[in-house]
């Protein structure tokens, strides 16, 4: 593959998908913006290296999200002190500082996600934010569908309790 | 009744700022290059010629040229002609005679002489490069057509920078060009003044 083709395709992919990857990373990192940015950078670097493979995937976007989730799982297994920090900051600090539309809701949801184990958080993000089915989630995490179902079940039980302040009837679109 | 997907969606949405796409590309290219070097697929020393962008504050989207391209290529002096060419978010009111657009990115455009040996669109060396960023302006000040232009010379290349117009994305648009092209600064100010930056432009990082 010519470098120019790879660059152009990758640039288009990143332009279209970076924001969504960052949002997924933000949920996985429970609001740690630096970690979320690190995860996205790590993921996109791997995406560039594996671009021909990513491009051939049935769904390159999901493929990238799988890589992101794996980067997150790897990160949780690594000692904090060994983690490399973000290489570059967003383009302009003045515009990069963003605020959630509902800070209270965000804090509550992030606190609820913090109470989940990393694997549970990954399942919640893949199943309920990215809308992957059980099989795709299992494939992404390298575990069995049974593990996904049980992990998801425990995670939802926790979230129903932790989010009681914002909703007394938490529903999901996905079936477990 | 509250849907979990909706809650996650709202919690993760910060109204994303401009994304540093150029840096992602630079990291990816560097990582791929390191991997290839480790694998022996690229000869030692092939990481030469970051080219005229080094230390220049240019968007990092553009990297080394094709490995067989010369470091500096002599290009003929060329006059500008009236054009109305749009490449991505950039529109050129004028272009140099005998030059053509090679690469177009949200962060900028590369323009090279027709038949230029280095056909790598993401390479800067010996080319005329339009960039958009949000870095501070500095350099020798000149006024043209009611706008403040700033000129700089570094190594074998020159540059002109100017703030974008009202209605364009806020920031700086600049042109970088090789000494060997033979253009005087007035010509390049005239060229840059005719560049319009559209809403799809993304700031590069310097």
């Amino acid at each position: 593959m010519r470098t120019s083709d790879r660059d152009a395709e990758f640039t288009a992919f990143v332009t279209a998908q970076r924001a969504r990857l960052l949002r997924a990373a933000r949920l996985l990192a429970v609001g740690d913006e630096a970690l979320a940015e690190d995860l996205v950078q790590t993921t996109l670097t791997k995406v560039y290296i594996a671009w021909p493979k990513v491009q051939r995937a049935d769904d390159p976007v999901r493929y990238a999200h799988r890589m992101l989730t794996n980067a997150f799982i790897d990160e949780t297994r690594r000692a904090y002190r060994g983690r490399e920090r973000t290489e570059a900051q967003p383009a302009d600090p003045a515009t990069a500082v963003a605020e959630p539309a509902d800070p209270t809701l965000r804090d509550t949801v992030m606190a609820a996600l913090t109470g989940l184990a990393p694997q549970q958080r990954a399942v919640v993000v893949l199943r309920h934010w990215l809308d992957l089915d059980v099989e795709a989630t299992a494939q992404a995490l390298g575990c069995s569908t049974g593990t996904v179902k049980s992990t998801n079940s425990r995670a939802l039980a926790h979230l129903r309790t932790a989010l009681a302040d914002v909703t007394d009837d938490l529903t999901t679109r996905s079936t477990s | 009744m509250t849907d979990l997907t909706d809650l996650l969606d709202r919690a993760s949405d910060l109204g994303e700022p401009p994304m540093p796409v150029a840096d992602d590309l630079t990291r990816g290219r560097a990582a791929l290059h390191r991997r290839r070097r480790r694998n022996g697929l690229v000869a030692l020393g092939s990481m030469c010629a970051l080219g005229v962008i080094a230390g220049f504050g240019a968007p990092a989207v553009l990297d080394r040229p094709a490995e067989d391209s010369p470091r500096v290529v002599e290009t003929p002096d060329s006059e500008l002609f009236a054009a109305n060419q749009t490449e991505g978010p950039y529109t050129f009111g004028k272009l140099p005679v005998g030059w053509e657009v090679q690469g177009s990115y949200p962060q900028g455009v590369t323009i090279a002489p027709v038949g230029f040996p280095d056909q790598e669109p993401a390479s800067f060396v010996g080319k005329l490069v339009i960039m958009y960023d949000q870095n501070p302006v500095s350099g020798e000040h000149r006024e043209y057509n009611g706008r403040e232009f700033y000129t700089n010379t570094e190594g074998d290349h020159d540059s002109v920078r100017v703030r974008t117009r009202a209605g364009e994305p806020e920031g700086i648009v600049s042109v970088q060009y090789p000494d060997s092209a033979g253009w005087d600064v007035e010509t390049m100010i005239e060229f840059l003044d005719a560049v319009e930056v559209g809403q799809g432009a993304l700031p590069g990082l310097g």
Side-chain angles (χ1 to χ4, degrees), chain A residues 83-150:
Chain A
R83 183 154 69 86
E84 293 176 3
R85 303 302 300 189
T86 305
E87 290 178 37
Q89 296 301 316
D92 183 343
T95 57
V97 178
E99 292 295 331
D102 186 341
T104 305
L105 173 76
R106 172 185 157 82
D107 290 348
T108 304
V109 172
M110 291 303 177
L113 291 174
T114 303
L116 297 175
Q119 183 89 355
Q120 290 176 323
R121 215 179 299 155
V123 168
V124 167
V125 172
L126 291 172
R127 290 280 288 119
H128 303 291
W129 193 67
L130 285 173
D131 200 28
L132 297 193
D133 60 24
V134 171
E135 199 165 320
T137 303
Q139 195 179 16
L141 296 175
C143 62
S144 69
T145 55
T147 300
V148 169
K149 287 178 183 176
S150 59

Side-chain angles (χ1 to χ4, degrees), chain A residues 3-4 7 18 23 26 41 44-45 48-49 88 91-92 95 98 100 105-106 128-129 167 169-171 173, chain B residues 1-5 7 9-14 16-17 23-25 27-29 31 35 120-121 134 205:
Chain A
T3 301
S4 55
D7 286 358
R18 197 181 205 283
R23 290 177 67 177
R26 201 172 275 149
Q41 289 183 13
L44 289 175
T45 298
Y48 184 87
I49 290 172
D92 183 343
T95 57
L105 173 76
R106 172 185 157 82
H128 303 291
W129 193 67
T167 176
D169 188 9
L170 185 67
T171 61
R173 298 175 195 177
Chain B
M1 189 168 74
T2 306
D3 178 63
L4 177 58
T5 305
L7 280 181
D9 213 42
R10 289 159 63 193
S12 65
D13 185 7
L14 294 187
E16 307 308 332
D23 281 0
D24 291 320
L25 184 56
R27 276 188 290 271
R29 294 187 77 172
R35 173 169 291 199
E120 167 57 64
Q134 294 176 330
L205 295 182

Side-chain angles (χ1 to χ4, degrees), chain B residues 26-44:
Chain B
T26 300
R27 276 188 290 271
R29 294 187 77 172
L32 181 61
H33 187 71
R34 283 194 298 271
R35 173 169 291 199
R36 284 176 172 169
R37 274 211 307 186
R38 276 201 305 272
N39 292 344
L41 298 178
V42 175
L44 195 64

